[in-house]
Amino acid sequence: MQGDRTRVMVVEDEKITALELQDRLTSSGYHVSAMVSTGEEALEQAQANKPDLALMDIKLKGFMDGVQAAELIRARLDIPIIYLTAYADKETLQRAKITEPFGYILKPFDERELYTTIEMALYKHKMERKLKESEQWFSTTLNSISDAVIATNKDGYITFLNPIAERLTGWSRADAIGESLSKIYNVLDEKSSDHQDKESDHDIGGVVYSEFHHTKILISKNGTQRLIDDSMAPIQKSDGMINGVVLVFRDISERRKFEQELIKTQKLESLGVLAGGIAHDFNNVLTAIIGNISIAKLNLDANDDTYKLLMEVENASKRAKSLTRQLLTFSKGGEPVRKLVSIKDALRNAASFALKGSSIQGEFSFAPDLMAIEADEAQLTQAIYNIINNARQAKPKDSRVLIRAENVKVGLEQKLAIKPGPYIKVTIIDQGSGIRPEHLTKIFDPYFTTRQNASGLGLAISYSIVKKHDGNVLVESVPDKGTKVTIYIPASEEKVAPKRERDYHFPARHGNILVMDDEPLIRNLVKRMLNIMGHSVETANHGQQAIELYSTAMNNGNPYDVVILDLTVQGGMGGQETIERLRKLNPDVKAIVSSGYSNDPIMANFADYGFSGVVAKPYETHELNRVINDVMK
């Protein structure tokens, strides 16, 4: 069938020779797709019919000879050409060679020679096409992969460079081809800072390679240094001799940063678990200390020396309480435990603590009608402390840190990334060393610091706390002139009740109260406190026991007015599961949640979990009394 036969185009201006070729080709099983006599016709037919091969006479009539026609057909259509010639001058043959013909047939020719030359040309063209396709596939693959690839010859001179290798080395392909590998691939061993790997035993172009690979430092053409991983393999000939190398490498700078950040995160998580556990246990101990001190003070006159000593112990215990709050900043927790407070106290306390022991003074300016805020006072104090401490580290020239607070109304047009409404605007200004522009966008990033032996967590914690309070922090700074930090915290229309002397005279209303805590020290203390208040008290070690006591009391017609549940019970049912079970027994149960782990989300949003009140350990008698009275109203 014609469709299965090789299609040959004959380009011959001698009519008899052309017919002879047609006859011999047909008898050999080929199909003559076209017979033309000029170069122009040959190009036209080649484009129209796309034959498998062309037999081209070198000498043709017209403006285009066989060499010119062959050159165009080869370039445009990749059709193999076999030249036919009886004679040709040296110059013409030289031109013919440039067109890379697949064979020559000298006139006169016989059928066997014609067949052999055609078959060899077709085979050679087929192999050449496969090789080109393979090279194209290989080149496309190497140019599109995300790794950098460099190939060399046996003498170490570069023969190939893909785009990623161009970008990482800083050398263009045009400039790198033919250069020595050591010039383009300039690396140091990460550990030894040496140019050579001492475990290596091969050298190509001045670059030593082996099967032992280390992370290296690549120095690009412009001096930029990058961490890279590389692997290098020899290109071997059939006799085992090395004919060059292929080098594959990748930039691992970001991966290394990620790995380092992951290590820091894991350390911080470990610290968080440890801090949470320590704070929980420590707060239980502090509850016993502070609680018993508050009971002891009830029996003493305020002017008594013993009373004064107890006050000093109480104040020291409260400082320890503040330390546990700072520990809990590192641990995973929920929303702030908010209450209505004046921000003045947080600002004064934070400044006093941050500037203590230095020659720097805090200068305060508060609006006379400063509104209140709903905030976790301990957390907010910690956030402000970190910012003022940074101002102290900047060493202000005038030995002052200005701290201002005022009421402001925020609108959408101000673009402060906070909801419109009333806010307290806190401004903290120092005239210290300032912050460089390239660092300004990073100061709230975890672990970012420009000081040695600093964790880089202080401002990140401050930012997190303010954001959790639905506020924002803005920073302006000029190097060598100083820094201004502006904090926005939502203001409340409510008024903070004026501070009163603690009233240790308890109301006449008494209740029946159940206390569940796994610490005997806490159970005994809380029972003693409640008894002093005039309440009847029963205690339980864990949730299951509390449920049984609650059920029995209901069945006996003497239900509990209030249940106080510890959130965390080691090896037993804690407060969260217990309240769920109690609400099934009595949907109107009044329960107070208590924990030394004050950052737990249940402590911040106790009502969402079915509790009526919250008291964070450690607490004093008057604090417990206040919460119980609020719940029993």
Side-chain angles (χ1 to χ4, degrees):
M1 290 178 61
Q2 177 179 317
D4 297 330
R5 292 188 292 169
T6 300
R7 295 172 298 113
V8 179
M9 177 176 69
V10 175
V11 185
E12 172 62 60
D13 58 357
E14 292 289 340
K15 186 71 172 175
I16 296 174
T17 304
L19 291 172
E20 182 184 358
L21 278 170
Q22 183 182 31
D23 182 57
R24 293 192 178 187
L25 288 169
T26 303
S27 64
S28 297
Y30 302 112
H31 169 68
V32 177
S33 60
M35 289 178 60
V36 295
S37 60
T38 66
E40 292 82 359
E41 289 176 319
L43 183 59
E44 183 180 336
Q45 286 296 318
Q47 289 174 329
N49 299 319
K50 294 183 175 58
D52 299 311
L53 182 137
L55 293 175
M56 180 82 65
D57 190 4
I58 290 180
K59 294 287 187 179
L60 293 174
K61 295 175 182 177
F63 295 103
M64 185 183 297
D65 66 8
V67 175
Q68 291 173 305
E71 186 176 6
L72 291 173
I73 292 170
R74 180 91 165 106
R76 296 179 186 179
L77 303 171
D78 191 29
I79 295 172
I81 305 293
I82 296 176
Y83 283 126
L84 299 170
T85 183
Y87 60 90
D89 58 76
K90 188 175 181 180
E91 182 184 347
T92 303
L93 286 175
Q94 192 62 38
R95 285 175 52 225
K97 286 180 183 179
I98 295 173
T99 63
E100 298 179 345
F102 283 77
Y104 294 89
I105 297 178
L106 295 175
K107 301 176 184 177
F109 47 81
D110 58 35
E111 192 170 322
R112 183 179 181 84
E113 181 188 2
L114 180 64
Y115 178 80
T116 301
T117 305
I118 290 175
E119 289 301 313
M120 287 300 295
L122 290 171
Y123 177 77
K124 181 182 176 183
H125 181 257
K126 181 180 178 182
M127 292 300 102
E128 186 180 273
R129 178 175 287 178
K130 282 186 176 182
L131 181 60
K132 285 183 178 179
E133 289 174 354
S134 178
E135 287 176 347
Q136 184 63 41
W137 178 89
F138 184 66
S139 177
T140 302
T141 301
L142 293 181
N143 284 326
S144 61
I145 62 174
S146 58
D147 287 343
V149 181
I150 297 176
T152 76
N153 61 19
K154 63 182 178 62
D155 297 317
Y157 293 106
I158 292 175
T159 58
F160 176 82
L161 193 83
N162 77 345
I164 302 297
E166 288 183 286
R167 180 173 63 82
L168 294 184
T169 63
W171 288 83
S172 68
R173 184 180 303 189
D175 291 338
I177 298 296
E179 294 287 351
S180 67
L181 181 59
S182 60
K183 181 177 180 180
I184 307 303
Y185 187 63
N186 184 15
V187 291
L188 302 174
D189 186 88
E190 183 191 22
K191 295 179 180 178
S192 65
S193 296
D194 198 351
H195 274 93
Q196 290 194 349
D197 185 342
K198 293 177 174 57
E199 299 175 24
S200 307
D201 57 3
H202 295 288
D203 189 321
I204 291 287
V207 173
V208 185
Y209 74 90
S210 79
E211 295 180 0
F212 299 95
H213 302 295
H214 302 299
T215 300
K216 294 182 175 67
I217 301 169
L218 174 66
I219 304 172
S220 70
K221 187 178 182 180
N222 64 6
T224 302
Q225 295 190 2
R226 291 183 176 88
L227 277 177
I228 61 164
D229 270 348
D230 72 355
S231 59
M232 192 181 288
I235 303 170
Q236 291 182 315
K237 295 192 291 185
S238 57
D239 59 3
M241 295 295 291
I242 294 177
N243 200 35
V245 294
V246 173
L247 170 67
V248 180
F249 56 100
R250 64 202 60 84
D251 186 349
I252 64 163
S253 303
E254 289 302 318
R255 190 184 82 190
R256 178 62 63 84
K257 287 180 184 177
F258 176 78
E259 289 170 350
Q260 291 171 342
E261 291 299 319
L262 183 61
I263 290 170
K264 287 181 180 178
T265 301
Q266 290 169 342
K267 287 180 178 178
L268 190 60
E269 287 177 352
S270 298
L271 179 60
V273 173
L274 177 63
I278 290 173
H280 178 268
D281 294 342
F282 195 38
N283 275 334
N284 277 339
V285 175
L286 285 176
T287 300
I289 295 171
I290 293 174
N292 279 301
I293 289 173
S294 67
I295 292 173
K297 285 162 54 182
L298 294 174
N299 300 315
L300 295 171
D301 185 87
N303 295 317
D304 192 292
D305 288 341
T306 305
Y307 185 95
K308 294 175 182 177
L309 289 172
L310 288 173
M311 283 295 295
E312 289 187 20
V313 176
E314 186 178 63
N315 289 334
S317 299
K318 287 179 179 177
R319 284 198 293 272
K321 175 182 175 180
S322 175
L323 289 174
T324 62
R325 288 289 183 99
Q326 291 183 47
L327 278 174
L328 285 170
T329 305
F330 290 100
S331 61
K332 292 182 179 179
E335 295 301 310
V337 181
R338 306 181 196 224
K339 62 180 180 180
L340 198 65
V341 295
S342 168
I343 201 170
K344 293 179 186 178
D345 293 337
L347 291 170
R348 290 189 186 278
N349 291 339
S352 174
F353 189 39
L355 302 177
K356 187 176 182 180
S358 74
S359 60
I360 301 168
Q361 299 294 316
E363 189 174 294
F364 299 94
S365 174
F366 299 144
D369 58 344
L370 200 61
M371 299 173 72
I373 58 172
E374 286 191 24
D376 186 317
E377 192 170 12
Q379 280 194 15
L380 196 58
T381 301
Q382 178 69 44
I384 295 166
Y385 162 80
N386 292 340
I387 293 170
I388 296 176
N389 188 50
N390 259 53
R392 171 187 172 176
Q393 297 288 342
K395 298 178 181 178
K397 300 179 182 69
D398 58 355
S399 296
R400 290 187 305 159
V401 174
L402 306 180
I403 302 166
R404 301 171 184 166
E406 59 186 309
N407 302 320
V408 295
K409 196 84 172 179
V410 172
L412 289 173
E413 68 280 359
Q414 291 167 275
K415 297 180 180 179
L416 294 174
I418 48 179
K419 294 178 181 178
Y423 283 81
I424 300 295
K425 178 184 177 182
V426 176
T427 310
I428 300 169
I429 302 172
D430 71 74
Q431 293 184 3
S433 55
I435 304 168
R436 290 163 59 181
E438 62 267 28
H439 293 158
L440 203 55
T441 58
K442 303 175 183 178
I443 59 173
F444 294 122
D445 291 350
Y447 315 118
F448 177 78
T449 181
T450 56
R451 300 198 308 268
Q452 289 185 343
N453 303 319
S455 68
L457 288 170
L459 292 180
I461 290 172
S462 296
Y463 183 81
S464 176
I465 289 172
V466 172
K467 294 298 283 187
K468 283 185 176 181
H469 282 80
D470 304 314
N472 202 3
V473 186
L474 306 174
V475 181
E476 302 170 56
S477 188
V478 178
D480 300 322
K481 290 190 176 181
T483 301
K484 180 171 77 171
V485 179
T486 306
I487 305 170
Y488 291 88
I489 299 289
S492 173
E493 301 289 348
E494 297 184 46
K495 301 289 184 182
V496 179
K499 289 188 176 181
R500 299 172 299 176
E501 291 295 321
R502 293 174 186 171
D503 183 7
Y504 289 105
H505 297 89
F506 305 110
R509 184 182 177 190
H510 301 150
N512 190 22
I513 298 178
L514 173 63
V515 177
M516 186 274 284
D517 199 295
D518 62 337
E519 284 285 342
L521 204 64
I522 304 300
R523 289 199 304 271
N524 295 334
L525 169 67
V526 176
K527 183 176 182 179
R528 192 178 303 118
M529 284 179 167
L530 294 172
N531 286 156
I532 292 171
M533 297 174 200
H535 301 296
S536 299
V537 183
E538 285 192 73
T539 62
N541 301 341
H542 50 76
Q544 186 60 47
Q545 187 180 8
I547 293 167
E548 291 170 2
L549 289 171
Y550 193 91
S551 178
T552 301
M554 283 186 65
N555 293 334
N556 292 339
N558 186 30
Y560 295 107
D561 298 295
V562 177
V563 180
I564 301 173
L565 300 175
D566 185 21
L567 190 57
T568 306
V569 173
Q570 189 172 2
M573 186 188 299
Q576 183 177 0
E577 187 178 351
T578 303
I579 188 62
E580 293 172 359
R581 301 274 292 274
L582 290 178
R583 283 172 65 84
K584 291 179 181 178
L585 292 175
N586 178 14
D588 298 322
V589 61
K590 293 183 177 181
I592 298 169
V593 62
S594 178
S595 178
Y597 190 53
S598 61
N599 274 29
D600 192 289
I602 296 176
M603 298 292 286
N605 305 293
F606 60 88
D608 295 342
Y609 295 87
F611 292 99
S612 304
V614 60
V615 59
K617 299 176 184 176
Y619 48 81
E620 299 177 61
T621 306
H622 74 96
E623 291 177 296
L624 181 61
N625 181 56
R626 177 185 54 79
V627 176
I628 289 174
N629 288 337
D630 289 343
V631 170
M632 290 180 65
K633 283 178 183 178

